[in-house]
Amino acid sequence: MMDVAAYAAPAAAAPLEKTTVARRDVGEHDVLVEIEFAGICHSDIHTVRDEWGAQKYPLTPGHEIVGRVLEVGSGVSRHAKGDRVGVGCMVNSCQGCDACREGLEQYCLAGNTGTYGSVDRDGTITQGGYSTHVVVDERFVVRVPDGLDPAAATPLLCAGITLYSPLRHWGVGKDSKVAIIGMGGLGHVGVKIAVAMGADVTVLSHSDKKREDAARFGAQHYVNTTDAEQMKAVAGSFDLIINTVSVNLPMDDYLALLRYDGTIVELGAPSKPLEVAAFSLIVARKALAGSCIGGIAETQEMLDFCAEHGITAEIEMIEASQINEAYERVVDSDVRYRFVIDAKTF
């Protein structure tokens, strides 16, 4: 066991504070990663503030991790000392169920082991990437391609795969008409990926504040959703709409924007149930679906795709002492577009 510097929430309503967390000894199939960068995801905030269910404290969040391999177990074959690697939202799964065998560890029928706040294989609660080091099973460690800036690639371990997976699953390609609801930490990466896949991309946003950014990221169109005429003009237009926001939207209004056989994919997790009129789905065989990150092989595929197309997140680098301030800014939508923590400052 080794104690490493970290930042943790001591309780649901408390600010994160500097502490230490214990990391297990490196086992036969483990990789010890010296963390260089850790991203701040909005789900970190929801989790440590106990907005998504009972948590055990103290809790160190962080599931967007990039670093260098410091040590490997005797049975490790996928990674070597010195490799730059990433760790995302999962650190284990049963590996035996249908989902795991299909490379869909995120849908493990026994429940995957989250990078933080989950019961680990030794019975302890996993602690995440807001720290200097982490020990992870080699099967849940991915390679960060040399062509990616490591700091700006860090949010891809959650935001990138969360958008790449549904875009790929629903077959987005040349001339697909795709709309992204919300262009925040998730949405801006989704715009870049969808454009690189060849789609005709529209941003749906409740204001005009990010219109110029959307064009810079390659989106061909931008709709202010508070303007009824703009919404009417794109009715029946899209093959796929991806919703990245965690608020209760008028879903029937957005379903009206789909073509027949179109799908809205829900990524955001609002606190109240979604309300949908049956006829919004029935009359044109439309669908409302959900998606959650991606498997490990698909995460590697996403990183390689992003390296090929020069895609990274837009980031603001901070020191560990600024985490609590950054949390408030995320809640206030005051970041373009992702905070990344310099792990040297833990």
Side-chain angles (χ1 to χ4, degrees):
M1 299 283 287
M2 61 184 290
D3 289 333
V4 302
Y7 266 70
L16 276 70
E17 57 187 36
K18 191 169 185 175
T19 184
T20 60
V21 295
R23 298 303 190 190
R24 68 173 182 264
D25 292 333
V26 177
E28 181 181 1
H29 296 286
D30 284 336
V31 174
L32 170 62
V33 179
E34 184 175 30
I35 297 172
E36 296 175 295
F37 306 103
I40 291 180
C41 177
H42 205 146
S43 60
D44 297 343
I45 302 171
H46 289 304
T47 303
V48 301
R49 293 182 176 178
D50 207 12
E51 295 170 355
W52 284 350
Q55 295 296 321
K56 293 187 177 181
Y57 298 90
L59 181 63
T60 296
H63 58 210
E64 299 173 342
I65 303 166
V66 167
R68 292 281 190 181
V69 175
L70 200 60
E71 182 182 345
V72 298
S74 60
V76 170
S77 60
R78 304 184 185 194
H79 309 285
K81 184 176 179 179
D83 288 353
R84 176 167 278 131
V85 296
V87 178
C89 300
M90 303 176 286
V91 292
N92 220 325
S93 71
C94 80
Q95 297 292 294
C97 71
D98 289 346
C100 287
R101 286 196 297 269
E102 292 177 22
L104 300 171
E105 297 94 343
Q106 74 274 30
Y107 303 130
C108 174
L109 300 182
N112 68 68
T113 303
T115 306
Y116 61 89
S118 288
V119 179
D120 207 350
R121 65 192 188 193
D122 60 1
T124 61
I125 302 300
T126 55
Q127 304 294 331
Y130 293 11
S131 60
T132 57
H133 299 77
V134 66
V135 178
V136 182
D137 186 297
E138 67 168 325
R139 294 170 297 184
F140 288 80
V141 178
V142 292
R143 175 183 52 83
V144 176
D146 290 339
L148 290 175
D149 174 81
T154 299
L156 299 179
L157 275 303
C158 176
I161 187 58
T162 297
L163 272 297
Y164 182 87
S165 187
L167 288 167
R168 183 176 181 275
H169 178 78
W170 271 273
V172 168
K174 182 172 171 37
D175 298 328
S176 296
K177 294 189 180 300
V178 175
I180 308 286
I181 302 175
M183 205 180 72
L186 290 175
H188 88 285
V189 176
V191 169
K192 292 182 178 184
I193 292 174
V195 168
M197 288 177 169
D200 183 273
V201 179
T202 298
V203 171
L204 304 175
S205 181
H206 68 280
S207 77
D208 287 319
K209 291 189 299 184
K210 297 178 180 178
R211 187 179 290 271
E212 290 185 5
D213 280 358
R216 180 163 59 91
F217 301 150
Q220 292 91 341
H221 317 284
Y222 191 99
V223 172
N224 185 326
T225 58
T226 66
D227 186 321
E229 290 303 313
Q230 290 188 41
M231 289 287 278
K232 183 178 179 181
V234 293
S237 294
F238 303 113
D239 303 303
L240 183 69
I241 299 174
I242 295 184
N243 182 19
T244 70
V245 302
S246 293
V247 297
N248 287 85
L249 297 175
M251 296 306 296
D252 299 303
D253 293 349
Y254 286 90
L255 284 162
L257 306 184
L258 291 173
R259 299 177 71 244
Y260 61 88
D261 282 334
T263 301
I264 290 182
V265 180
E266 187 72 20
L267 303 182
S271 58
K272 296 180 181 179
L274 301 176
E275 294 186 3
V276 178
F279 277 103
S280 292
L281 303 172
I282 292 170
V283 296
R285 202 163 58 188
K286 298 176 183 181
L288 176 60
S291 181
C292 179
I293 57 172
I296 300 302
E298 189 175 48
T299 301
Q300 186 65 65
E301 179 184 299
M302 175 274 303
L303 287 171
D304 293 340
F305 178 89
C306 287
E308 178 184 353
H309 294 277
I311 297 171
T312 54
E314 307 291 311
I315 67 167
E316 181 177 334
M317 188 79 73
I318 63 169
E319 296 185 358
S321 61
Q322 298 172 285
I323 290 173
N324 291 304
E325 176 189 349
Y327 271 27
E328 296 307 319
R329 287 182 58 192
V330 171
V331 171
D332 292 338
S333 299
D334 181 27
V335 57
R336 290 198 177 179
Y337 283 87
R338 279 282 188 153
F339 287 115
V340 172
I341 309 162
D342 181 350
K344 296 191 297 294
T345 64
F346 282 117

